[in-house]
Amino acid sequence: MTRHPEIREGTITLTIDGREVNALPGQAIIDAARETGFDIPSLCYDGRMEHISSCRMCVVEVAGEADLVAACSAPVSDGMEIRTDTDEIRSVRKLILELLFSDHNAYCIPPCQNKCPAHLDIPGYVGAVAEGDAARSTRIIKERLPFPRVVGRVCPRPCEDVCRRAQNDEAVAICQIKRYAGDEASGGETLPYETAEPTGKRVAVVGAGPAGLANAYYLALMGHALTVFEALPEAGGELRYGIPEYRLPKQVLDEELQELWSLGIELKTNMVLGRDLTIDSLLEEGYDAVFLGIGAQAGRPLQIEGEIYDGVFPVVDFLRDVTLGQGPEMGRKVVVIGGGFSAMDAARMSLRMGAEEVTVLYRRTRAEMPAHENEVRDAEEEGVRIEFLVAPIAIRGEHGKVSSVVCRRMELGEPDESGRRRPVPVEGSDFEVKADLVISAIGQRPMLYYRDVQTGRDYSLFPADSGIRIHDYWKSIEADPVTGQTDRPQVFAAGDAVTGAATVIEAVAGARRAALAMDDFLAGRDLKKTRKNLTEEEPVYLDIRQLPEVEAPRQKMPVLNAEERARSHEEVELGFSDGAARLEAARCLQCVCEVEASCRLRQLGIEYEILENRFEGKMHPVPPLEEPNPVISRQYEKCIVCGACAGICDEVVGPQAIELNETGMDTHIACAYHRELASTECIFCGQCVSACPTGALDNRMSMGLRPLPQRPARKTPQPETIVPEPVRKTNTTCPYCGVGCTLTLHVADNRIIEVSSEASGSVNNGNLCVKGRYGFDFVSHPDRLTTPLRRIDGELVPCSWDEAIGEVSRQLARIRGEHGPDAVGFFASGRCTNEDDYLVQKLARAVIGTNNVDHCARL
């Protein structure tokens, strides 16, 4: 359909959203609207073919009509009044999108990236390691996680639980690759952004644990002046005082924190909240904002008889005291109660501290343990005994000191609120475990009070007049879960103090979001918009098998042997070698959607705030993988059955290689007679690709060449907006024949990666033949000649351009002189540019004097 942007005679007048505009009689509403600056969304609309109104996203209100009208098929009329954006219209469009997403069996970001609490660009940093660039990998990691070396050693690896490589063999060692990248790039320049100019704003961070340090890191990069206050003698919080040396060497922690101090962040230790400073005192000192990252430093009581006996320790106190050199006398037998990471740390540390027998009591089965299987296996290898389906019911003591733990066998019942099956006591199954020391590792909670050691009295850190609310049940700080802002606008909080005891990477993720919100707050921006920008969607992932390019088993992390490490504080995991790291990184399937930045469905989903799949229904069948055809990739899981590909194949091109099959809810797109595309009448022109709104059809030749969607390169981190890396677009004319079709060359890294055509092109209206769309691969082909060759004694040898041109000139002059100008003919390659073709015919006619000129595209 030809566009008519200018006003011509015979136009009619109508009103769109209160503005009077002109349009041509019979024009579709969507054409008239877009030509006059109104954007009506659509997923199936394409001006090159008849409108099919399949997606219904273009619905509008027309005065006098009882129902909403599809703007792509309804014609305009004189005096028509149209509204394109009302609450009712948006509600209907959102419902349509939700229904479309319910059958969109694909993802916008990889499952691993979505599962990661910090949403690291995992394919990006893993891919950089595969290419041997650890520094770039580390910079990608640090865009969202300042501590790759630390977290690479202690993360519970939720990303690996959903790694799609595991559908073929084993998950990629994502976390260990992160550690490798950080270790390999250590000491180099790995800041993710340039530090911004000083803003003149001062921020106080209370707590030098993972949350406080991450918050300070990103705020410092944004140009703010940071002071971190820590109650203990050194920075690190749980990283230093809660994770043993054999898992996280203190030297590694100190080296990684050095980057923070190089940013100018000031650290003040032995500064206790409630004793040495308060929120009020910090604000009175001139700090413009305060971040609370005080962690969860109080152990949860067992709430059983006898836990007041000497020798019963909360795990957080036990690990901290050991680090400070003030650990308790171990005795021969130690009992650890719990099944998380801290329980495993306490058990393994007890062996290293001299205990002869360590028993872990866990009330569920191995499958329900919060600790990672690697930690559990390592503990058992070192000699820790784990009793499953056992719960303590009392602690016995003699002379005021613990002597044993009374236990009861359990069995699993119905799931509880955590989703795990609830342990149920087995009556008459009580037994006793001897113990010289009992460590309680059943959870931690924020310590929201300051204890005066001289008087023994406890003082609340956040009294009623502090402006900080405390959760009645969880006894944690109440803060916005996205921005971290508390009821007191200048005060933000994140990490374990807000969520309760969680993982390091969860604390870092919350602290980073809070830093972005604090930056907006300090700049006077509206945090409602910030909150919307920081809210991340939760997609649904289905089992979409993808064949690996690298057939290799998961690389095994080298470790100290169990006997050697059981009594040693040396680091257990030794790290990947260069070769192992690159081979493991190459196992990644790179589950990225190349059209993420241009997918119209994703763009509308973001605009209409589709954050989850509200509907579940029958998914369209996904055919098995087919043998690749030359230029078009089909990914059925992304198809929303809009019909645009079938329409353009039929109406514009003609071969009807793609069709709408079946009817009703079973309608789906398939090749004619369900054949492979290569066996149909397809001429591989790519028109179907140009019409597809989701990437269900894609240019195979461009896949792997396009820059993958990344966070925009900025001087400071900002709320997320997915954009592609810069791609230069150049408009030109196709050189393959004389029709004169307009082309748009997409160039990245000085290489043509794709060819498209604008629908407004006056000759071809966006249509291209197979040569026009796909005939660009020769430009960067490794076999392409880039140096002239001259035949000497029967051999082609490289020569300079001056030598080549001189030889051609001499031979042309010789032939013309001996045989006349008509003895010379000029034949131009279809891969010459139009400018080249012009010069060829000019040389023939004006210099040689012949009209013997032809072009290969004519044949």
Side-chain angles (χ1 to χ4, degrees), residues 130-145:
E131 294 169 4
D133 195 341
R136 180 164 65 89
S137 177
T138 302
R139 283 191 288 272
I140 293 172
I141 295 168
K142 286 185 176 182
E143 290 179 6
R144 287 172 167 263
L145 173 68

Side-chain angles (χ1 to χ4, degrees), residues 418-436:
S418 70
R420 297 178 295 173
R421 294 173 65 189
R422 187 186 302 277
V424 179
V426 177
E427 294 301 325
S429 62
D430 296 2
F431 65 99
E432 210 166 326
V433 178
K434 296 295 184 183
D436 300 308

Side-chain angles (χ1 to χ4, degrees), residues 432-496:
E432 210 166 326
V433 178
K434 296 295 184 183
D436 300 308
L437 190 75
V438 175
I439 301 172
S440 169
I442 63 168
Q444 297 164 223
R445 62 185 180 186
M447 186 178 288
L448 303 179
Y449 58 86
Y450 158 66
R451 176 164 294 171
D452 190 321
V453 294
Q454 294 182 341
T455 65
R457 293 181 59 187
D458 292 341
Y459 298 91
S460 173
L461 296 179
F462 309 109
D465 60 355
S466 67
I468 309 298
R469 279 191 302 123
I470 304 301
H471 195 284
D472 291 337
Y473 179 78
W474 297 110
K475 303 302 180 185
S476 56
I477 296 173
E478 291 269 23
D480 186 290
V482 176
T483 66
Q485 190 174 40
T486 67
D487 284 357
R488 193 165 183 176
Q490 307 99 313
V491 181
F492 295 73
D496 291 358

Side-chain angles (χ1 to χ4, degrees), residues 238 240-247 250 313-328 341-350 439 441 444:
E238 193 76 2
R240 184 179 300 278
Y241 297 102
I243 300 177
E245 185 96 3
Y246 64 83
R247 275 216 294 148
K250 302 300 183 285
F313 286 87
V315 68
V316 63
D317 293 351
F318 170 76
L319 293 172
R320 181 183 63 240
D321 290 349
V322 167
T323 301
L324 291 170
Q326 304 167 3
F341 282 91
S342 294
M344 296 301 104
D345 285 342
R348 297 171 71 186
M349 179 60 78
S350 295
I439 301 172
Q444 297 164 223

Side-chain angles (χ1 to χ4, degrees), residues 683-687 734 736 741 767-774:
I683 62 172
F684 302 108
C685 63
Q687 302 293 41
C734 182
Y736 279 108
C741 296
N767 299 318
L768 291 174
C769 71
V770 64
K771 281 190 174 183
R773 191 177 301 279
Y774 297 112

Side-chain angles (χ1 to χ4, degrees), residues 61 74 231 245 261 418 430 514 556 598 601 653 668 776 809 811:
E61 290 181 4
E245 185 96 3
W261 318 136
S418 70
D430 296 2
K556 303 302 180 185
S598 59
L601 181 64
V653 187
H668 63 279
F776 64 87
S809 176
Q811 293 297 336

